[in-house]
Amino acid sequence: VDCGNPCAKICLPATIQQIATSSEAKVLTLPSGLVDALFVLQNPNPDYAIKDLSYELKIYDASGAILKTIEGKSFIYGGEIKYVAEPAINLSGSVAVRAEYEIKNLVWIKAENFAKTNLAVQSQGATILGDNIQVIGRVLNQDTATFPGVKIIAVISDDAGNQMGVSETQIE
């Protein structure tokens, strides 16, 4: 592999570790009948980030039939643990029992060239309003870079730490 300047690829060291993943995506059925799916990625390489990755999430019923396939894109910084969520999936009345995902098309980059942004979450909290949970907070950009949008994912857990739902908001 030519890893010189004309080539867009970087040479990865032989010691680079694969992305660690949770064994299965969690399927969280909501009272509304919608389903949230959630999985965790971990990049154990502090010196290398993935600036682009694709994933395919498949949701299954009890018989093993695929109810829905969702394709998405994400990234992960060097040394980061990251939640990837697909909230409020409509399965048209079908019951999901499990989900699987596949990570593919990883584009590695040196972490120094894909530094973690300096965003701070301030005054976060949650309030129960009837059958709903309202998540509030403020995100402060402490970086010199500007962003066209920031995706905020809130993972809702019970007192025992069991994940109960996911919410996602895109801030422009």
Side-chain angles (χ1 to χ4, degrees):
V1 176
D2 177 9
C3 295
N5 276 344
C7 180
K9 296 181 180 179
I10 64 167
C11 292
L12 296 174
T15 57
I16 199 153
Q17 297 178 50
Q18 293 299 315
I19 295 298
T21 57
S22 51
S23 58
E24 277 190 5
K26 290 191 177 189
V27 176
L28 308 166
T29 302
L30 306 174
S32 65
L34 297 175
V35 170
D36 292 341
L38 178 70
F39 60 93
V40 180
L41 301 177
Q42 181 177 3
N43 181 359
N45 306 289
D47 297 331
Y48 288 89
I50 298 173
K51 73 174 187 172
D52 190 28
L53 65 85
S54 300
Y55 62 87
E56 183 178 78
L57 176 70
K58 292 182 181 179
I59 301 173
Y60 298 88
D61 67 10
S63 72
I66 297 173
L67 299 173
K68 192 156 208 153
T69 300
I70 299 170
E71 294 184 356
K73 290 189 158 290
S74 192
F75 62 89
I76 188 166
Y77 296 113
E80 182 182 36
I81 297 173
K82 179 177 190 166
Y83 285 100
V84 179
E86 290 290 341
I89 303 165
N90 186 349
L91 299 176
S92 303
S94 297
V95 178
V97 296
R98 69 181 177 89
E100 295 177 351
Y101 61 95
E102 180 183 358
I103 305 298
K104 43 191 171 178
N105 305 323
L106 304 176
V107 179
W108 291 93
I109 187 169
K110 289 187 177 179
E112 64 196 37
N113 298 326
F114 195 66
K116 189 171 185 177
T117 55
N118 191 5
L119 299 177
V121 177
Q122 297 180 333
S123 62
Q124 66 185 7
T127 306
I128 297 175
L129 301 170
D131 291 340
N132 297 308
I133 299 174
Q134 179 183 33
V135 178
I136 58 171
R138 178 179 295 203
V139 177
L140 178 63
N141 182 3
Q142 297 177 324
D143 209 310
T144 57
T146 59
F147 307 99
V150 176
K151 185 188 296 187
I152 307 294
I153 296 172
V155 179
I156 312 301
S157 301
D158 64 13
D159 290 337
N162 300 311
Q163 293 153 344
M164 305 298 291
V166 174
S167 180
E168 177 180 290
T169 300
Q170 179 79 23
I171 299 173
E172 302 301 327

